[in-house]
Amino acid sequence: MRRIVGIVLAVLLIGGVAAAVVAGREGQDTRTATKTVHGVIGSEKAEFFADPDVVKALAAKGYTVKTETSGSWAMEGLDLKGYDFAFPSSQAPADELAAKFHARQPLPRPFYSPLVVVAHRSAAEVLAANGLATVGKGSGTLRMAAYLKAAEHDRTWQQLKGAGAHGELTGTLYIATTDPATSNSGALYLAAASYVADGGRVAADTVAVTRTAPLMRKLISVQGAQQTSTDAAFRDFVSGAGNPLVLVYESQVASLLAQGQDVGDLTVLYPDTTANSDHTVVPLTEAGRALGELLSSDPALRRLAVRHGFRPQGASAEFTAATAAHATYLNQKLTGVRQAPVPASAVLHEMARRAKGQGGSTS
């Protein structure tokens, strides 16, 4: 009898230990479990989402985020079945995606970044000597009206005073941009340029697009093959390759400075009329919307966004404080910079097609 009781007690003891282990594991899984969300993002945000500190901050809020990159305007043509969110680089492509996938408004807009032109010091000084820019120690202002006039008349570097001392400054003067048909930055460049060229009027129809189409065509055709993302264009510039003037996002410059990397003779030119890139989340599921709202509101994630060069919406002081050490290169308060309105998506698409010589019409 004692042997039987001993066996029963042993079984109960083993069962109790096993139950405790299972319960402990279940409790641990509950504490560490995260919800996986999938999204397609602009390439300029790839480093943000890959940052181990961002991954950790998201996990602390219960999220694991898996991303793939795409040009912002190219997202509309993707099969987004199975994705929780799309995260293009501005509001115009986001609005198109929202209409296509019936995403309810308002759309979360966690942060933004103005477009800037990065230049080598020699190029910036030549522009300044010819009235196309004003230049300080590490930053300056690009005079858009003067630059567009030079582009309209097919000015070359050799025609500019002082360029002869710099052998690398040859050929037609132009700003290298991404493809406006597929990339947000290229399209916003046309939006700002057309606004200036048309006397401060935002293009609203085919007639307006037609007025500036010849100049927009020149701005694009002179470039030849274009990059599909600002990430690749900026990396080429930093490595010393490519054109002496390249359109990028301020966030890319600010992120590089925050990492303490050597920027060489980098000079950041803020166009006196530019376009802000409002990074906008298009929720395709409720999990995607929750993530977008979290990126907008969570203090830790906002700080990390600033570390990657982005300006959080509604809190300029956060960016100013975090970039104080790099004020030589960054126009922290965007002093003297005017924001150009962005045309409706259909009009901007038409502008890009015309700029690439593809014709078309928009009412």
Side-chain angles (χ1 to χ4, degrees):
M1 178 62 70
R2 282 196 294 269
R3 184 179 301 168
I4 293 173
V5 171
I7 292 172
V8 170
L9 289 174
V11 170
L12 290 174
L13 179 60
I14 292 171
V17 171
V21 170
V22 171
R25 287 176 177 171
E26 287 178 348
Q28 185 179 23
D29 289 345
T30 299
R31 289 191 298 271
T32 61
T34 58
K35 180 183 296 183
T36 300
V37 294
H38 295 83
V40 57
I41 63 173
S43 62
E44 69 291 327
K45 292 184 284 290
E47 288 190 0
F48 171 76
F49 281 104
D51 184 336
D53 289 337
V54 173
V55 173
K56 183 178 179 180
L58 288 168
K61 295 297 182 177
Y63 290 93
T64 296
V65 180
K66 304 290 186 181
T67 62
E68 298 174 21
T69 60
S70 168
S72 293
W73 286 105
M75 290 181 188
E76 187 184 359
L78 299 178
D79 179 6
L80 296 181
K81 183 178 181 180
Y83 288 84
D84 296 287
F85 69 97
F87 202 173
S89 303
S90 73
Q91 192 168 354
D95 285 342
E96 284 212 352
L97 287 166
K100 180 178 179 179
F101 293 100
H102 309 290
R104 63 181 172 85
Q105 299 284 348
L107 304 177
R109 290 187 296 151
F111 39 73
Y112 69 98
S113 183
L115 289 171
V116 300
V117 175
V118 289
H120 294 296
R121 189 67 190 177
S122 57
E125 290 179 345
V126 168
L127 291 179
N130 289 269
L132 303 179
T134 58
V135 178
K137 185 177 180 181
S139 65
T141 301
L142 177 69
R143 294 175 172 169
M144 279 292 284
Y147 166 72
L148 292 175
K149 184 176 180 180
E152 185 176 15
H153 290 88
D154 303 311
R155 296 286 294 276
T156 64
W157 283 104
Q158 292 92 321
Q159 292 172 327
L160 299 182
K161 179 176 60 177
H166 307 284
E168 72 278 11
L169 300 179
T170 61
T172 304
L173 170 69
Y174 71 89
I175 296 170
T177 73
T178 54
D179 184 344
T182 60
S183 173
N184 175 67
S185 60
L188 291 183
Y189 172 66
L190 293 182
S194 66
Y195 179 77
V196 174
D198 206 19
R201 289 180 290 184
V202 59
D205 52 29
T206 299
V207 175
V209 171
T210 300
R211 282 198 297 267
T212 61
L215 177 55
M216 299 303 103
R217 174 63 178 149
K218 277 192 175 185
L219 296 178
I220 299 303
S221 63
V222 70
Q223 300 184 45
Q226 293 176 286
Q227 297 275 20
T228 57
S229 76
T230 54
D231 183 60
F234 186 57
R235 289 179 187 278
D236 284 349
F237 177 85
V238 171
S239 70
N243 196 57
L245 302 174
V246 181
L247 186 83
V248 300
Y249 295 110
E250 178 197 57
S251 59
Q252 293 168 289
V253 178
S255 177
L256 193 71
L257 293 168
Q259 294 169 28
Q261 294 193 30
D262 180 15
V263 295
D265 65 348
L266 171 75
T267 301
V268 185
L269 299 177
Y270 286 75
D272 55 17
T273 301
T274 190
N276 281 348
S277 180
D278 289 312
H279 295 269
T280 306
V281 176
V282 181
L284 305 176
T285 66
E286 284 306 310
R289 178 169 292 277
L291 175 66
E293 292 172 351
L294 182 67
L295 292 171
S296 301
S297 62
D298 183 72
L301 288 168
R302 287 170 68 90
R303 285 193 297 271
L304 289 167
V306 172
R307 192 168 81 183
H308 284 269
F310 300 110
R311 294 174 179 254
Q313 293 285 359
S316 59
E318 291 181 48
F319 182 85
T320 301
T323 59
H326 311 299
T328 299
Y329 296 96
L330 302 174
N331 185 343
Q332 294 174 297
K333 297 183 179 180
L334 299 179
T335 304
V337 177
R338 178 172 57 167
Q339 172 71 20
V342 178
S345 296
V347 176
L348 197 54
H349 273 307
E350 175 66 8
M351 190 179 292
R353 286 193 292 268
R354 297 281 289 276
K356 289 174 66 68
Q358 297 173 354
S361 63
T362 298
S363 57

